[in-house]
C-alpha cells in the first residue's frame, strides 16, 4: 500500500502542482480517519500513518474532516480558509496555506477518503481547472484504492490462515500444558509484534486467574494471580466473548481497573486493548489479552485471528488436561497393582 500511495502522488504531480500532498482514508462505520500518505514542504508535524483518529478531533478537526462530512470537491483560498476558521466550522491545523484543494474518494456511494494538495506559494496557486482534474482523478483513485485494499486484505487473510494453521498443527502435536501455553504465547507475540500481552487461566475451584505467560515491555513477567471479579479479563471470562477497545477512556467506561499512584499517574499506558476468551466447550477456561500504547491499534481482523487461535488453544489445553488425568489414573492403577502384588505376596507367605 505505501508503494500504491506513492504512485498516486507521482501521477497527480505530473498533472498539477502537488509538492504538498496527502491522502486521508475514512472508516465510515467507526467514524475514524487515517493518513497513510503525507508529503509537506514546510509542516513537519505530520500525522502518524498507523493511527486512526475520530473525525472532528486532532488532525481530522480541520478541512479534511469538513470534506469527508460533506463529500464535495473544494478549492479554498487563504481568505476562505480564514473565514471558515473564524466561523468555527473548522480548526486551523499546521501552517496556513495560500490555497487548499481536495476531492473526495467515493466508492459504492460512500466517501472512503480524500485526496488533498495545497500550496504555500503565491506563484503556484491551484485553479478551478486543477480542481476539476483532481476530481476526475479521484474517481479513478477510489476505484484503484478499493481494488488494492481488497488485494491487501486477501493477502492478509491468507497470512492469517497460514499462521492459524501453523499454530493448529503445532498444537495437535502437543499434550503438555505448559508447552502449549508457551507455544501460543510466543507465536502470537511475534505475529502482533506485542510488547504487552498475557495468557490467563481461570481456576473455578479457587476463583483465581493465573498468568503462566505474560509480557510487559517485551520481557517475560510472572504476575500474581487475581480473583475473578472486576476488570476486562474477568468480563471476557464471565461473558465468554471478545472485547476490543481503541482508547483508554473506552476501557475505563467498560469496566477496566486502572490503578493510580499517589502522584495521580496511571499504572497503564495501553490506549488499545484486545481480549478473547479461551473456550473449552461452553466454559471459558482462560483469556488472551493484548495492550498497545497507540489508540485504535487493533482491528476486526486481529480479533478474528486471535479468537480462532484461542479456540484451537482451548481444545489443545482440554486434550492436555485429559491426557494428564489419564496418566494420573494409570499411575494410580500401577501403584494399586503394585500394592496388591505386595499384599498377595504377604498373604501367600
Amino acid at each position: 500500500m505505501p508503494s500504491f500511495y506513492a504512485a498516486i502522488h507521482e501521477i497527480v504531480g505530473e498533472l498539477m502542482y502537488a509538492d504538498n500532498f496527502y491522502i486521508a482514508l475514512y472508516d465510515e462505520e467507526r467514524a475514524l480517519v487515517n493518513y497513510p500518505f503525507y508529503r509537506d514542504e514546510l509542516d513537519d508535524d505530520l500525522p502518524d500513518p498507523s493511527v486512526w483518529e475520530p473525525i472532528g478531533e486532532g488532525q481530522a478537526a480541520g478541512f479534511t474532516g469538513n470534506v469527508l462530512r460533506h463529500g464535495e470537491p473544494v478549492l479554498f483560498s487563504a481568505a476562505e480558509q480564514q473565514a471558515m476558521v473564524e466561523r468555527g466550522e473548522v480548526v486551523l491545523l499546521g501552517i496556513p496555506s495560500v490555497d487548499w484543494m481536495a476531492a473526495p474518494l467515493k466508492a459504492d456511494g460512500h466517501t472512503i477518503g480524500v485526496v488533498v494538495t495545497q500550496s504555500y506559494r503565491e506563484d503556484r496557486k491551484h485553479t478551478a481547472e486543477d480542481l476539476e482534474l483532481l476530481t476526475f482523478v479521484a474517481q479513478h483513485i477510489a476505484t484503484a484504492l478499493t481494488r488494492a485494499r481488497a488485494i491487501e486484505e486477501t493477502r492478509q487473510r491468507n497470512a492469517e490462515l497460514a499462521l492459524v494453521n501453523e499454530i493448529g498443527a503445532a498444537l495437535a502435536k502437543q499434550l503438555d500444558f505448559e508447552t502449549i501455553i508457551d507455544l501460543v504465547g510466543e507465536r502470537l507475540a511475534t505475529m502482533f509484534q506485542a510488547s504487552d500481552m498475557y495468557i490467563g487461566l481461570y481456576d473455578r475451584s479457587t476463583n483465581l486467574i493465573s498468568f503462566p505467560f505474560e509480557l510487559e515491555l517485551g520481557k517475560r513477567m510472572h504476575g500474581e494471580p487475581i480473583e475473578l471479579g472486576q476488570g476486562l479479563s474477568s468480563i471476557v471470562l464471565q461473558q465468554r466473548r471478545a472485547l476490543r477497545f481503541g482508547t483508554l477512556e473506552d476501557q475505563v467506561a467498560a469496566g477496566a481497573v486502572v490503578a493510580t499512584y499517589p502522584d495521580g499517574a496511571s499504572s497503564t499506558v495501553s490506549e488499545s486493548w484486545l481480549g478473547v476468551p479461551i473456550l473449552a466447550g461452553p466454559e471459558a477456561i482462560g483469556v488472551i489479552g493484548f495492550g498497545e500504547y497507540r489508540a485504535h491499534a487493533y482491528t476486526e481482523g486481529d480479533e478474528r485471528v486471535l479468537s480462532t487461535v484461542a479456540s484451537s488453544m482451548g481444545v489443545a489445553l482440554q486434550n492436555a488436561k485429559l491426557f494428564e488425568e489419564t496418566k494420573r489414573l494409570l499411575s494410580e492403577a500401577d501403584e494399586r497393582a503394585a500394592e496388591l502384588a505386595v499384599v498377595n505376596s504377604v498373604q501367600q507367605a
Side-chain angles (χ1 to χ4, degrees), residues 150-222:
I151 293 171
E152 185 71 11
E153 288 173 3
T154 300
R155 288 175 177 169
Q156 182 178 351
R157 183 63 175 149
N158 289 338
E160 292 171 357
L161 289 172
L163 179 70
V164 169
N165 290 336
E166 179 189 345
I167 293 177
L171 288 177
K173 301 175 183 177
Q174 290 294 337
L175 288 172
D176 181 74
F177 215 79
E178 294 182 0
T179 302
I180 289 172
I181 293 169
D182 285 344
L183 185 152
V184 173
E186 290 170 2
R187 297 288 177 88
L188 289 177
T190 300
M191 175 188 177
F192 285 89
Q193 298 180 339
S195 59
D196 296 307
M197 69 159 291
Y198 61 84
I199 296 175
L201 297 180
Y202 176 55
D203 187 336
R204 186 175 295 274
S205 63
T206 62
N207 201 40
L208 293 176
I209 307 172
S210 59
F211 301 94
F213 188 96
E214 187 174 5
L215 289 179
E216 186 172 320
L217 298 178
K219 297 182 179 180
R220 285 292 295 266
M221 304 290 292
H222 297 284

Side-chain angles (χ1 to χ4, degrees), residues 56 60-63 65-66 69-70 76 80-92:
F63 294 98
N66 182 275
R69 282 191 292 267
H70 294 92
F76 295 134
E80 289 171 325
Q81 295 176 59
Q82 185 61 34
M84 292 176 67
V85 172
E86 292 175 354
R87 291 195 300 266
E89 296 178 15
V90 296
V91 176
L92 181 61

